[in-house]
Amino acid sequence: MMPYYVGIDGGGTKTAVELRTRGSAAHSRAVFGPLNCNSDRTAAAKTLTDTLAWLAAQPEGLAGCDGLCIGSAGISNPDAYNFIQDIIRAGGYTGPLQIVGDQVTALAGALGQPVGTVLIAGTGSICYARTADGREARSGGWGHLIDDEGSAYALGRDILRAVVRAADGRAPATALTELVAQRLGAPGVQPVIRFTYAPTTTKKEIAALAPLLDPALQQGDAAAQAIIAHAADELTQMAAAAMQPLGLQTGSMALLGSVLQKNETLRAAVITRLTAQFPTLTFPEPVGDAADGAAVMAENS
Amino acid sequence: MMPYYVGIDGGGTKTAVELRTRGSAAHSRAVFGPLNCNSDRTAAAKTLTDTLAWLAAQPEGLAGCDGLCIGSAGISNPDAYNFIQDIIRAGGYTGPLQIVGDQVTALAGALGQPVGTVLIAGTGSICYARTADGREARSGGWGHLIDDEGSAYALGRDILRAVVRAADGRAPATALTELVAQRLGAPGVQPVIRFTYAPTTTKKEIAALAPLLDPALQQGDAAAQAIIAHAADELTQMAAAAMQPLGLQTGSMALLGSVLQKNETLRAAVITRLTAQFPTLTFPEPVGDAADGAAVMAENS
């Protein structure tokens, strides 16, 4: 029997486990529960023990695994790192183990190797860069209250800002006013304020407003254009700060996350700005996801 | 015995009650508990009944009060308005009653009459303007998540932003890094992130960072200068939006709140910008506080 290696992408709602057999094209994938040590440790522990049970049930058993890489958010917290390591070791896995931030596995998955730069703008945003010899840099990603520029949360917040500024005369009227009123089911500023500050409104719900930019852009709305231009500037600055110290501006960059993958206008604006500044930087389509990336790292461990 | 009139400035921590005798210079003041219907109605009800008891104990009794004006935050919520009105009427007061937002009483107190413009930058920010015939306008003040530009919260948030942007290379080094480290008692980005996102960190605690701008400005720090310039631009825009539709840019403006009263650099920057745009606008020193303003409005009811 051939030994195998495993890549794990632990996420806030589900965890993808990619199993590959060394020296063959064979692979399989399983999906388990959430894995975020900073939000729900009970669920994270269950996901890890479920994963170990699945590996133990493989023909080669847990002993057949000769490389394991886990990518997850919140790993910069040493307490979270140790929590995962302890469960994996207590579960009987004794082989090579890597536990890394999910930006690392996203990079390795998108570019096929953990070398280059990944710019991620989803609910939050971050840029991560890594060289072949393992030097790394990150910028952005300091959370929605003081950072996460270019993220869906920041776009949603900017939409709400634009609506109240138009309402009190600080800015010209914007198509976003009507689009937000339709979304909230009520016109006027008070529903906007109630939505923004309701204890039940999470940052994901504010992030979910971001797609309203598309119809506003189609109407040529100046406020929507300004929001996109600002986000593109911020994401470009974030990318430059991570790449340049490592000399990676001549390499490849993956553009990931719901915002950079779905908002064509913002994606194009970011590529235009980055290409102007770094003419040899390339933007390949992702070849795999973060579980694939974790498997690539497990294989090379 | 002379009839009297009463101005009430209901605040989040205490309520000032100003009692004036019609046709004389006599006045007295009492202080009761908090009055904010949107945060603690039990406390607000007690403050109002304590106030009515104090008035009933005056030589003229409650029947001697021939004008009552209450200024409080959150009055734009009709439910809060009715709550206050019901308690005052149930308590036996049958005379003229005004219940207004605290920006109205702040304006009347600072300028000696409820006519002109007040620009307030404290923990939050807002601009309110009112004409002699009662037309009014407001701008800003839509809360810390999407507005409150130029407020202590916005300044504190901008300080934290500057520190993380310097840390990951998006911005040059700033004196704010060391000042924040001293305040938090620990150097580096992780203490900044822990502070920013700790469930125990309120917006008041982020606002309390604003005074760190002063020592940074004394060192000629560019990041601190940029934060002040941005705040001054935003407060100027807020003031223009409230004044101009009412033609009040030839009148008087009061600059109130901890930020505009304590940060000399920002105050001067706002006055410079507003004077350049509106050369005949004047900035008199406040003649009284919001309880005085409420009393002025009660007298004229």
Side-chain angles (χ1 to χ4, degrees):
Chain A
M1 288 185 292
M2 297 297 292
Y4 65 91
Y5 51 94
V6 174
I8 299 176
D9 174 37
T13 54
K14 67 181 173 60
T15 293
V17 181
E18 171 80 7
L19 184 153
R20 296 185 183 179
T21 304
R22 198 173 288 279
S24 96
H27 75 104
S28 56
R29 187 172 282 212
V31 176
F32 298 102
L35 174 52
N36 185 323
C37 297
N38 294 324
S39 65
D40 187 345
R41 293 227 164 157
T42 306
K46 181 175 187 321
T47 296
L48 291 170
T49 53
D50 287 351
T51 300
L52 288 168
W54 184 68
L55 297 180
Q58 299 298 315
E60 300 82 359
L62 197 53
C65 179
D66 70 353
L68 187 62
C69 175
I70 303 174
S72 177
I75 290 305
S76 59
N77 177 353
D79 196 37
Y81 183 99
N82 292 332
F83 176 82
I84 293 177
Q85 180 174 251
D86 290 349
I87 289 174
I88 296 294
R89 293 309 187 194
Y93 175 69
T94 57
L97 175 63
Q98 295 174 81
I99 305 171
V100 299
D102 54 0
Q103 71 278 11
V104 186
T105 49
L107 170 68
L111 299 181
Q113 56 174 346
V115 178
T117 306
V118 60
L119 181 61
I120 306 174
T123 301
S125 67
I126 193 169
C127 185
Y128 172 73
R130 189 177 187 275
T131 63
D133 57 354
R135 287 174 298 129
E136 50 186 8
R138 69 72 73 89
S139 59
W142 302 113
H144 70 294
L145 286 181
I146 59 172
D147 200 23
D148 284 5
E149 296 291 346
S151 68
Y153 176 85
L155 297 175
R157 183 194 60 200
D158 288 352
I159 289 169
L160 296 169
R161 275 172 57 86
V163 171
V164 299
R165 292 171 81 92
D168 66 23
R170 277 179 289 169
T174 164
L176 293 166
T177 299
E178 174 61 20
L179 290 161
V180 168
Q182 285 170 9
R183 173 69 64 94
L184 299 182
V189 172
Q190 286 307 324
V192 170
I193 299 304
R194 272 198 293 272
F195 167 76
T196 303
Y197 297 101
T200 51
T201 300
T202 65
K203 63 180 177 177
K204 280 194 184 176
E205 285 170 288
I206 289 177
L209 298 176
L212 297 181
L213 288 170
D214 285 325
L217 289 168
Q218 281 162 22
Q219 297 176 47
D221 185 66
Q225 288 165 347
I227 290 170
I228 291 290
H230 175 71
D233 288 342
E234 289 284 350
L235 289 170
T236 300
Q237 195 180 9
M238 205 182 283
M243 283 190 299
Q244 286 188 295
L246 301 179
L248 287 168
Q249 59 271 32
T250 58
S252 295
M253 174 180 284
L255 300 176
L256 300 182
S258 59
V259 170
L260 280 171
Q261 293 185 309
K262 290 182 192 163
N263 190 305
E264 290 297 335
T265 309
L266 179 57
R267 182 187 179 87
V270 169
I271 290 176
T272 298
R273 282 163 172 75
L274 283 171
T275 302
Q277 210 173 334
F278 310 111
T280 59
L281 185 68
T282 58
F283 305 92
E285 285 300 309
V287 297
D289 64 15
D292 293 316
V296 165
M297 296 186 69
E299 183 175 18
N300 296 329
S301 65
Chain B
M1 287 185 294
M2 297 296 293
Y4 65 91
Y5 51 96
V6 174
I8 299 175
D9 173 37
T13 55
K14 64 180 174 60
T15 294
V17 181
E18 171 80 8
L19 183 153
R20 297 185 183 179
T21 304
R22 198 173 288 281
S24 95
H27 74 106
S28 56
R29 185 172 283 211
V31 176
F32 298 102
L35 175 52
N36 185 325
C37 297
N38 294 323
S39 65
D40 186 345
R41 292 224 168 160
T42 306
K46 180 174 188 319
T47 296
L48 291 169
T49 53
D50 286 351
T51 300
L52 289 168
W54 184 68
L55 297 180
Q58 298 297 316
E60 300 82 0
L62 197 51
C65 179
D66 70 353
L68 187 61
C69 174
I70 302 174
S72 177
I75 291 305
S76 58
N77 177 352
D79 196 36
Y81 183 100
N82 291 334
F83 176 82
I84 293 176
Q85 181 174 254
D86 289 350
I87 290 174
I88 297 292
R89 292 309 188 195
Y93 175 69
T94 56
L97 174 62
Q98 296 175 79
I99 304 171
V100 299
D102 53 1
Q103 72 278 12
V104 187
T105 49
L107 169 69
L111 298 181
Q113 57 175 345
V115 178
T117 306
V118 60
L119 181 61
I120 306 173
T123 299
S125 67
I126 192 169
C127 186
Y128 172 74
R130 189 177 187 276
T131 63
D133 57 356
R135 288 173 299 129
E136 50 186 7
R138 68 74 71 91
S139 60
W142 303 113
H144 70 295
L145 286 180
I146 58 172
D147 200 24
D148 284 5
E149 296 290 347
S151 68
Y153 176 85
L155 297 175
R157 183 193 62 202
D158 288 351
I159 289 169
L160 296 169
R161 276 172 56 87
V163 171
V164 300
R165 293 170 81 94
D168 66 22
R170 278 179 288 170
T174 164
L176 294 167
T177 299
E178 173 61 20
L179 291 161
V180 168
Q182 284 170 11
R183 172 69 64 96
L184 299 182
V189 173
Q190 286 308 324
V192 170
I193 300 304
R194 273 197 293 273
F195 167 76
T196 304
Y197 297 101
T200 49
T201 300
T202 64
K203 64 180 176 175
K204 279 194 183 174
E205 286 170 287
I206 289 177
L209 298 176
L212 297 182
L213 288 170
D214 285 324
L217 289 167
Q218 281 162 22
Q219 297 175 48
D221 186 67
Q225 288 167 345
I227 290 170
I228 292 289
H230 175 72
D233 288 343
E234 289 285 351
L235 289 170
T236 300
Q237 194 179 10
M238 205 182 282
M243 283 189 302
Q244 285 187 296
L246 301 180
L248 286 169
Q249 60 271 33
T250 58
S252 295
M253 173 180 285
L255 301 176
L256 299 181
S258 59
V259 171
L260 280 170
Q261 293 186 308
K262 290 181 193 164
N263 190 307
E264 289 297 335
T265 310
L266 179 57
R267 181 188 179 87
V270 169
I271 291 176
T272 299
R273 282 162 170 76
L274 283 171
T275 302
Q277 209 174 335
F278 309 111
T280 59
L281 184 68
T282 58
F283 304 93
E285 285 301 308
V287 298
D289 64 15
D292 293 316
V296 165
M297 295 185 69
E299 184 175 17
N300 296 328
S301 65

